[in-house]
Amino acid sequence: MPADATAQAPESGAASPREKRSTGILPSQTIREMIAKGEIATTIPVIDGQIQPSSIDLRLGKKAYRVRASFLPGRGATVKQRLDTLSMHEIDLTEGAVLEKGCVYIAPLLESVSLPAKVSGTANPKSSTGRLDIFTRLITDYGTEFESVPEGYEGPLYSEISPRTFSVLARTGSRLNQLRFRRGNPVASDAAMRRLQDSVKLVHGQEADIKEGVAVSVDLTGDPETGLIGYKAKQHTGLIDIDRPGGYEIADFWEPLYRQKDRPAELVLDPDEFYILASKEYVSVPLDYAAEMRAYDTRVGEFRVHYAGFFDPGFGMPEAGGEATRGVLEVRSHDVPFVITDGQVVCRLVYEPLTEVPDKIYGAGGIGSNYQGQGLKLGKHFRNG
């Protein structure tokens, strides 16, 4: 059942259900209204488990297409028109199919949209998708940007899928990415984030560094007892079923990484290897805000952090069971080996307001939040992960 937003709202300035903003990220109750109005449409009814505090999970349709290369359709073409020239073969997903690592696929989604004026969308992989190193991006007809649904867009949605490390088994209804809706153009200013830091502690455990977002740094000191600092994905493994949580042993897919005693707390990232690490900071997202991790910034190094960039309202908040919640970092180096050191800034979180407190809060009300209160944690597919 959805959490009671009134009971969950903190005293530190979060909007009450009666205090609505005219612009901002749309909450779970507004997403339900969009479904009822047909602004989000599907041939198979949406289930409540798809609706997250500030986004909706998108489901794979009945087919996928193996394509020669990633693409954007551009202003003059639909995705289907581009598939007519780029598709190599069609794959039936109704009974499940293997999506092989290193290949690129385009899958029509069950959901389509008819957005009203001043409402746009931004997509990202789900957390569990990112932790499997599945590179997935949303595409629209006539699109000139990935992960973006323009204001007033009416039409189908597609997912580009490229498993990078593990081959995966997916099927109709599998959920790999999620879509967040935004009304207007709310300002995500550093001044607003500093005020939030003072009132609710967006990050703690480290001094807050707020400039073009809230800095997040990497923890390479490791567990005080075991010295574990992270995991490195193995290259030659078995298949992972997207819809089988808790089905796999960590040792079959991951190599644990430990801090070496009497050596600097640092790690060499090998090109095109995939790592799971943790932040030094404990991260919190107020109940009337959402956050997005800006994953790739060449100013801090040639590596990408965190494919799955959405942080829902309530993430890491004590009243939602999230006290002492770290950010998990999905890290891939590009082109050259790169040394990261303990405490190095690797990405930044940008916080945006919601139009109102959602009736679902991350980590509360039994909505199945897998990563509330997490430390260094692998995805939900792995036992004890």
Side-chain angles (χ1 to χ4, degrees):
M1 296 293 292
D4 183 339
T6 303
Q8 294 288 342
E11 298 178 357
S12 55
S16 78
R18 297 179 182 177
E19 296 172 345
K20 296 184 180 181
R21 300 180 176 104
S22 60
T23 63
I25 303 295
L26 302 184
S28 47
Q29 60 267 34
T30 305
I31 293 173
R32 289 193 195 90
E33 293 172 4
M34 294 175 69
I35 295 168
K37 293 176 181 177
E39 294 170 354
I40 302 171
T42 178
T43 54
I44 299 176
V46 171
I47 60 174
D48 194 62
Q50 287 178 251
I51 302 174
Q52 304 302 323
S54 60
S55 63
I56 182 172
D57 292 348
L58 303 174
R59 300 169 296 177
L60 299 183
K62 296 181 179 181
K63 299 177 182 179
Y65 300 87
R66 168 78 166 90
V67 293
R68 292 187 284 120
S70 172
F71 67 88
L72 281 167
R75 299 184 189 279
T78 66
V79 174
K80 185 178 183 301
Q81 287 170 334
R82 298 296 286 137
L83 285 173
D84 288 342
T85 59
L86 290 171
S87 176
M88 298 169 66
H89 63 268
E90 181 181 303
I91 300 166
D92 183 359
L93 294 179
T94 55
E95 299 298 326
V98 174
L99 305 182
E100 298 184 28
K101 72 174 184 178
C103 298
V104 181
Y105 303 87
I106 302 295
L109 299 173
L110 292 179
E111 289 74 27
S112 60
V113 296
S114 179
L115 298 185
K118 299 184 180 180
V119 173
S120 59
T122 302
N124 250 317
K126 289 175 59 62
S127 293
S128 298
T129 305
R131 295 188 201 196
L132 291 178
D133 198 19
I134 303 171
F135 190 64
T136 180
R137 301 185 288 190
L138 191 74
I139 311 175
T140 64
D141 286 345
Y142 311 108
T144 57
E145 294 180 348
F146 291 109
E147 306 283 53
S148 179
V149 184
E151 292 183 12
Y153 174 80
E154 181 175 355
L157 302 173
Y158 299 81
S159 182
E160 176 192 287
I161 307 162
S162 181
R164 304 294 301 277
T165 295
F166 310 119
S167 294
V168 298
L169 179 65
R171 57 187 59 78
T172 301
S174 293
R175 295 182 246 169
L176 297 180
N177 51 2
Q178 53 194 157
L179 181 60
R180 182 175 283 178
F181 299 99
R182 180 182 290 103
R183 181 181 295 128
N185 296 291
V187 177
S189 70
D190 286 343
M193 285 181 265
R194 290 190 187 100
R195 289 193 293 270
L196 284 170
Q197 174 65 21
D198 291 339
S199 62
V200 299
K201 295 294 184 187
L202 301 180
V203 295
H204 55 100
Q206 295 288 109
E207 183 177 352
D209 172 6
I210 301 177
K211 182 181 179 182
E212 298 181 23
V214 182
V216 176
S217 61
V218 64
D219 178 20
L220 296 178
T221 59
D223 184 279
E225 295 183 5
T226 66
L228 180 70
I229 61 172
Y231 295 92
K232 180 179 179 180
K234 294 183 177 181
Q235 285 291 333
H236 306 288
T237 67
L239 189 68
I240 294 179
D241 188 333
I242 289 295
D243 301 311
R244 188 186 171 195
Y248 303 94
E249 297 290 344
I250 291 174
D252 292 337
F253 295 85
W254 299 94
E255 173 190 345
L257 302 174
Y258 297 94
R259 180 181 177 182
Q260 300 298 310
K261 293 182 179 180
D262 304 320
R263 292 187 181 181
E266 61 185 28
L267 176 67
V268 177
L269 303 175
D270 293 321
D272 294 323
E273 298 286 352
F274 184 65
Y275 301 83
I276 297 291
L277 306 171
S279 70
K280 270 188 120 49
E281 294 81 6
Y282 298 99
V283 177
S284 299
V285 182
L287 304 191
D288 60 334
Y289 274 77
E292 182 175 1
M293 187 174 281
R294 301 293 164 86
Y296 185 47
D297 184 350
T298 56
R299 293 175 296 180
V300 299
E302 285 291 339
F303 56 87
R304 180 187 176 97
V305 174
H306 210 81
Y307 293 127
F310 286 169
F311 288 72
D312 273 316
F315 181 90
M317 294 297 290
E319 57 265 52
E323 192 169 5
T325 302
R326 295 181 186 267
V328 166
L329 310 173
E330 300 138 13
V331 182
R332 176 179 285 275
S333 184
H334 298 301
D335 299 327
V336 296
F338 188 83
V339 178
I340 55 172
T341 59
D342 182 62
Q344 180 173 340
V345 173
V346 292
C347 55
R348 290 185 180 267
L349 277 174
V350 176
Y351 287 74
E352 290 187 63
L354 271 69
T355 56
E356 60 181 315
V357 173
D359 64 1
K360 276 188 170 186
I361 298 297
Y362 190 88
I367 70 168
S369 307
N370 293 292
Y371 305 116
Q372 189 72 295
Q374 71 184 356
L376 175 65
K377 187 174 183 180
L378 293 170
K380 66 182 181 181
H381 298 87
F382 302 100
R383 299 187 185 104
N384 302 314

